[in-house]
Amino acid sequence: MRDVLFAAADIWMIAVGLICGVKFIRDHHNYLIGLEWIIMGVSGINFLIYGVTKAGPDSPAHHIAFFLDAFSRSIGFTLILVLGLLVLTHRYKPTTRVEVGAFALAAILGFLLSEFAEEIGTPGKVFFLITALATCGFLCFFAWRLAKVGERAHAAWVAGATALNVAVASIYDFWRIPGDDADHTRFYIFALFTWGLAMLVIYRAYAAFVAHNKRVDARLNPITTAPTPRIETA
């Protein structure tokens, strides 16, 4: 039963990551969040293969899983997510250099924090926790902004998903769920479900915020947003 729940939670995260990631890029031209969501989806695919095949610690899937996990926990699902949301909350327009630099930094830290995890030890785990909590703090601000513009339902969903993310980040390296097995299956079921929920909730809230910004822009610029009148000829 645990294996079934694990697979279901992982497939859930994969679907949300890939679908919403593509929509972020296609519909909103937000490559920061879009690519990170897709990376999360790809990470889920690799993790599913790793779990189903029972691959060992020397397998490529194991190394890829650790790298992608460190990639997202260090910069991807933290700094890159915040930069992507600043596009909405502060009308921030990241340059291509910033976008490429953010992903390059995530790749470098992902490699270092995964390949040298044992050597780094506790400081690396604390770093992951701090970045997660800092990001959750910004997500609380994002929820507040949503509520302020009248999107209270989306604000509540973001707040709830953020609370679950705090729980995941706090448990990840520091606490073992009672009754969990050696592979931490219960934890990963909870974590994968939470990450999938967070990605879906953030996407829906983002779309709602975009719609709000468009309404504001329409009120501020009625001439440019008004339809062009038809000119009838005799």
Side-chain angles (χ1 to χ4, degrees):
M1 186 61 181
R2 287 187 181 184
D3 290 341
V4 173
L5 291 175
F6 167 79
D10 200 355
I11 292 171
W12 152 256
M13 190 194 76
I14 292 169
V16 173
L18 296 180
I19 293 172
C20 292
V22 170
K23 286 187 175 182
F24 261 119
I25 295 172
R26 184 191 64 194
D27 299 339
H28 304 294
H29 307 290
N30 192 317
Y31 288 89
L32 287 166
I33 302 180
L35 289 176
E36 171 55 21
W37 265 216
I38 291 172
I39 289 170
M40 291 281 287
V42 171
S43 176
I45 293 173
N46 178 75
F47 199 43
L48 183 63
I49 295 172
Y50 175 73
V52 170
T53 60
K54 305 295 183 181
D58 295 328
S59 66
H62 176 85
H63 290 285
I64 293 172
F66 266 76
F67 167 73
L68 292 177
D69 179 71
F71 180 103
S72 291
R73 292 177 67 197
S74 62
I75 300 296
F77 207 68
T78 56
L79 177 62
I80 289 176
L81 171 58
V82 170
L83 289 175
L85 291 177
L86 285 174
V87 172
L88 280 182
T89 59
H90 293 73
R91 305 282 183 148
Y92 171 63
K93 295 182 179 180
T95 63
T96 301
R97 181 177 298 180
V98 169
E99 293 178 333
V100 173
F103 281 101
L105 179 61
I108 293 171
L109 285 180
F111 173 78
L112 294 175
L113 292 169
S114 60
E115 290 298 316
F116 302 99
E118 292 186 4
E119 291 82 354
I120 296 173
T122 301
K125 298 175 182 179
V126 172
F127 170 73
F128 284 137
L129 179 60
I130 291 174
T131 56
L133 294 179
T135 304
C136 288
F138 184 84
L139 287 174
C140 288
F141 165 75
F142 182 53
W144 174 75
R145 286 294 304 274
L146 284 164
K148 191 175 180 181
V149 301
E151 297 292 345
R152 292 182 177 83
H154 287 294
W157 276 104
V158 170
T162 300
L164 290 176
N165 268 303
V166 169
V168 170
S170 301
I171 293 171
Y172 208 119
D173 294 308
F174 301 98
W175 188 64
R176 187 186 186 90
I177 296 177
D180 207 352
D181 56 25
D183 295 324
H184 307 285
T185 305
R186 286 185 178 179
F187 166 74
Y188 282 116
I189 291 171
F190 173 52
L192 291 166
F193 169 78
T194 297
W195 293 330
L197 177 66
M199 287 191 289
L200 177 61
V201 164
I202 290 171
Y203 172 76
R204 289 175 58 82
Y206 188 100
F209 210 123
V210 166
H212 163 75
N213 283 349
K214 287 182 178 179
R215 291 193 297 270
V216 171
D217 291 342
R219 289 196 297 269
L220 294 176
N221 302 286
I223 296 178
T224 58
T225 57
T228 304
R230 295 177 59 185
I231 300 176
E232 297 183 0
T233 58

